[in-house]
């Protein structure tokens, strides 16, 4: 955990104000306890947390950046443009296991895309108490959808006239304290500063807080700062100026009045909503708002807590210590003056421990108290005078509340923590990255289950493993015929790894010896590496290196190399975790090899089975396209065909369930059966019934959909039968396009007695008939009917006068209809498309 949250880069003040107001309204509307807004960044495919309200930013640093292709609810909401509602932890684990593994606590969440006319800007997110099921969240979802729509419209207006990236976010989030659930018992007053005129306007309550100094508070901003805190006036002025430039401080300023009383100063701005300013009887238009809180002794606890024998301290929802009794200060080995007004990780740096972070997150997100042990470092001579400390273990309990977390401390008497299931945390080295629970081996294992190719495995390792340990370089070598070949690299100088390509297992290199010996090798610096391997080529950095063997079930798979920019040591715990992760990576790579071998076989089989060219006819033009999926086995059972059927043509398209070799092989058998029936010029219903019985007799356990149309090119009359397949589209010569209304039967392979009714249609000269599989029109989170409507519109436009002016062939129309899918990197299903058109006059062959 770092000392403080990173502030956002200098951003337009209106943008920050819009996001802060929207997150506050969303939390209030949902009855939640935390929330925020993710915005797109200038880095393609990367979302950044712009505003976090109700939670301490440093404690949630692993979620500040999020790639849109990750299986996380925010990413899905942004990428798919759909609301994601997770009522409880069970539903979260079922749908998003990676997200749930990082935050395994009892809470629900809502994630609503924020979009405008120009596209999706980001996602509005709210965390709320768990609900039994998603129906309980329907009223809340409606309110949040309206808020997201209003925010999207405001962001669109803000972006007008600016660059496309004007509404984006860089850096860390602005952390905002949520409104208190009940009025504070201390004294609080508000103020507004106008940077243009220099005047400061205070409300009556702030005048009571400032007392005799209130008279000079409104003359100048300098006088106001001195009235609030004579000793911290420069810090207040700096915060106000930063806020005027669009960078309000992420946390309140802890200052002291002239008599030494603690005061908290919070600053927001600039703010230009004149309506709300007028409602508060304060100026508006580009002003900076703020509040000064002078906590009373009853704000956090009764003064009797000072006399308790156990330590008691309280945190607000941003992690700031607002109360600590003397015993807590003694047990934490920090004077009370260094605790109050500071975040806990600033006041007590040795609490920068993964175990403590995890439990504190749980208390912030869940309604139940947490109990655990933390290990306090041994620092003789640091204890406050007169204290009596019993050992290095402290037993801690954290009790959640709507505004405050109450924490109790007592000596642990060396009792191990059995409640957490984790070893006692050791203080980390200064500056070393925290090994957050997000990056435990179980999380990497969950991520790897969704990676099925070597490149996908490598990408998961880069995304999940490197940030956990602060690494900047990664290289993965795989073993082939007793030589190591580079499968993935990132962060190394261009060409640096080229001399190591294809090295044999006899070479004395750390990447080789870690595999042959089965032992990981850790070097704190490049000097250590050079001393162990004299003459080895080194890059320009002086950082540490870790060489991990990739061994799966006793079989060598390859080597993994992690590189760091600076020297560092590896604790015993880190070495253990890295070694365990290497085993997970090795097993994932072995699985990827098997998948890729099977995928290559399936691709080869499918290429053989799909038609190389379609038969020509003087009165007909046809064009087909096939695109494999890009997930999993990549190839499936989609196919298309055009077959001579007597004096006509049979147009066929089908989709076998599943992916892989079996689906491709079954597709080949069905295509052959349909061709045989078509060559015999059998009626469409007999073709469907015969193919159905064949698939059932094959006993493959698969089923298939199919559309079969027998067309007479001379008259344009056609007969069609459908088995559970999307209906074709027909574009008339005048451009009108509609879905052909055909009766249908059940999918093939289910019912041996199934009937497939035949319908007739007429195809005019110049009309275009489009047959397709569901991969072209189906998208996760969207209704398939919407996809069919979009394809219908695209087919109509492809035949518009403007398109015909370019003398487009049917093949070019097929390319236009599949262009978007062809340029989509993440296709969950394969796609088949078959187009056919009648010519007005016969095409004379030369």
């Amino acid at each position: 955990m770092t000392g403080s949250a990173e502030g956002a880069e200098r951003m337009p003040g209106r943008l920050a104000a819009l996001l802060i107001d929207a997150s506050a309204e969303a939390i209030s509307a949902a009855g939640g306890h935390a929330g925020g807004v993710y915005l797109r960044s200038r880095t393609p495919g990367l979302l950044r947390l712009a505003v976090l309200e109700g939670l301490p930013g440093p404690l949630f640093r692993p979620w500040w950046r999020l790639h849109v292709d990750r299986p996380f609810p925010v990413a899905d909401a942004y990428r798919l443009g759909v609301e994601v509602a997770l009522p409880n932890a069970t539903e979260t684990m079922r749908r998003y296991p990676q997200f749930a593994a990082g935050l395994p606590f009892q809470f629900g969440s809502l994630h609503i895309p924020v979009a405008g006319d120009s596209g999706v800007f980001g996602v509005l997110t709210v965390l709320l108490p768990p609900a039994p099921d998603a129906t309980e969240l329907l009223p809340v979802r409606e309110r949040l959808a309206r808020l997201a729509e209003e925010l999207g419209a405001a962001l669109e207006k803000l972006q007008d006239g600016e660059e496309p990236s004007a509404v984006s976010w860089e850096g860390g989030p602005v952390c905002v304290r949520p409104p208190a659930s009940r009025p504070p018992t201390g004294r609080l007053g508000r103020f507004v500063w106008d940077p243009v005129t220099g005047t400061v306007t205070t409300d009556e309550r702030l005048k009571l807080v400032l007392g005799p100094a209130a008279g000079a508070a409104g003359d100048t901003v300098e006088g106001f700062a001195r009235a609030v805190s004579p000793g911290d006036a420069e810090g207040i002025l700096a915060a106000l100026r930063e806020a005027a430039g669009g960078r309000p401080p992420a946390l309140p300023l802890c200052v002291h009045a002239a008599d030494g009383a603690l005061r908290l100063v919070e600053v927001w701005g600039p703010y230009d909503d004149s309506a709300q300013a007028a409602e508060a009887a304060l100026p508006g238009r580009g002003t900076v708002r703020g509040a000064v809180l002078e906590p009373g002794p009853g704000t956090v606890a009764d003064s009797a807590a000072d006399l308790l024998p156990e330590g008691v301290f309280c945190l607000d929802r941003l992690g700031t210590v607002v109360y600590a009794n003397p015993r807590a200060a003694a047990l934490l080995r920090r004077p009370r003056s260094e605790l109050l007004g500071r975040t806990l990780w600033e006041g007590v740096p040795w609490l920068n421990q993964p175990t403590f972070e995890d439990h504190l997150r749980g208390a912030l997100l869940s309604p139940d108290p947490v109990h655990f042990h933390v290990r306090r470092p041994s620092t003789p001579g640091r204890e406050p005078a007169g204290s009596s400390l019993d050992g290095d273990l402290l037993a801690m309990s954290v009790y959640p509340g709507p505004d405050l977390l109450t924490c109790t401390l007592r000596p642990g008497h060396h009792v191990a923590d059995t409640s957490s299931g984790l070893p006692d945390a050791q203080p980390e080295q200064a500056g070393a990255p925290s090994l957050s629970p997000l990056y435990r081996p179980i999380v990497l294992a969950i991520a790897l289950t969704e990676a099925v190719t070597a490149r996908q495995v490598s990408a998961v390792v880069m995304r999940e493993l490197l940030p956990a340990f602060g690494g900047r370089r990664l290289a993965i070598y795989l073993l082939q015929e007793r030589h190591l070949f580079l499968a993935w690299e990132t962060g190394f100088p261009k060409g640096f790894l080229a001399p190591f390509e294809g090295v044999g297992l006899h070479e004395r290199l750390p990447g080789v010896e870690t595999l042959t010996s089965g032992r990981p090798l850790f070097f704190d610096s490049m000097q250590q590496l050079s001393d162990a391997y004299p003459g080895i080529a080194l890059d320009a950095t002086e950082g540490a290196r870790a060489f991990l063997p990739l061994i799966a079930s006793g079989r060598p798979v390859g080597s993994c190399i992690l590189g760091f920019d600076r020297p560092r040591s590896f604790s015993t715990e880190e070495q253990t975790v890295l070694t365990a992760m290497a085993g997970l990576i090795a097993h994932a790579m072995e699985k990827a090899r098997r998948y890729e071998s099977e995928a290559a076989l399936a691709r080869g089989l499918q290429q053989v089975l799909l038609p190389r060219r379609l038969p020509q006819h003087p009165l007909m033009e046809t064009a087909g396209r096939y695109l494999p999926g890009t997930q999993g086995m990549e190839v499936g059972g989609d196919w298309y065909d055009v077959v001579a059927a007597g004096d006509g043509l049979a147009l066929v398209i089908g989709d076998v369930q599943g992916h892989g070799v079996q689906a491709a092989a079954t597709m080949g058998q069905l295509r052959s059966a349909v061709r045989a029936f078509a060559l015999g010029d059998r009626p469409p219903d007999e073709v469907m019934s015969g193919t159905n019985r064949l698939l059932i007799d094959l006993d493959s356990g698969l089923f298939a959909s199919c559309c079969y149309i027998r067309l007479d090119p001379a008259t344009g009359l056609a007969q069609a039968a459908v088995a559970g397949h999307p209906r074709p589209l027909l574009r008339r010569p005048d451009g009108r396009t509609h879905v052909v209304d055909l009766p249908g039967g059940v999918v093939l392979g289910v019912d041996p007695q199934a009937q497939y009714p035949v319908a007739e249609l007429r195809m005019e000269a110049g009309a275009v008939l489009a047959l397709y599989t569901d991969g072209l029109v189906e998208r996760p989170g969207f209704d398939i009917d919407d996809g069919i409507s979009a394809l219908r519109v695209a087919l109509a436009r492809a035949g518009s006068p403007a398109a015909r002016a370019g003398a487009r062939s049917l093949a070019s129309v097929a390319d236009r209809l599949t262009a978007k899918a062809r340029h989509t990197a993440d296709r969950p299903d394969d796609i088949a498309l078959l187009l056919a058109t009648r010519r007005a006059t016969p095409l004379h062959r030369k």
Side-chain angles (χ1 to χ4, degrees), residues 716-755:
L717 291 177
Q719 291 183 316
V722 177
H725 198 84
R727 301 317 191 253
L729 301 179
L730 181 63
R731 192 197 74 206
R732 299 186 183 279
D734 60 5
R736 290 180 300 156
T737 306
H738 67 276
V739 178
V740 181
D741 185 14
L742 297 176
V746 299
V747 293
L748 306 174
V750 175
D751 179 8
Q753 306 301 322
Q755 300 295 313

Side-chain angles (χ1 to χ4, degrees), residues 131-276:
D133 53 58
T135 58
E136 297 286 331
L137 303 181
L138 286 177
V140 175
R141 292 173 64 178
E142 293 175 1
R143 291 196 293 271
L144 262 60
R146 288 196 298 269
L147 284 173
E149 184 178 355
E150 293 169 2
L151 177 59
L155 295 179
E156 187 74 42
K157 183 177 179 181
L158 184 65
Q159 182 176 255
D160 285 348
E162 302 290 340
E163 294 295 326
S165 61
V167 179
S168 62
W169 197 265
E170 305 298 325
V174 173
C175 299
V176 181
R177 180 171 284 99
S181 62
R182 57 179 180 268
T185 58
R187 298 188 297 173
L188 180 144
R190 302 182 184 276
F191 67 89
V192 173
W193 171 49
D194 187 339
V196 177
T197 64
T199 58
V200 177
T201 306
T202 62
D203 65 6
E204 292 301 320
R205 288 176 295 178
L206 182 54
K207 293 176 181 177
L208 294 175
V209 173
L210 299 181
D219 295 342
T220 63
V221 68
E222 292 81 4
F224 168 78
R226 287 192 297 271
V228 174
S229 177
D232 301 291
E234 291 300 322
I236 296 174
L237 289 172
L240 292 172
R241 289 164 184 153
E242 286 290 303
R247 293 188 61 185
L251 298 173
L253 305 178
C254 176
V255 300
H256 293 86
D259 61 359
L262 174 68
R263 284 176 175 170
L264 299 179
V265 181
E266 190 144 14
V267 181
W268 310 277
Y271 191 69
D272 62 359
D273 191 331
S274 298
Q276 289 194 28

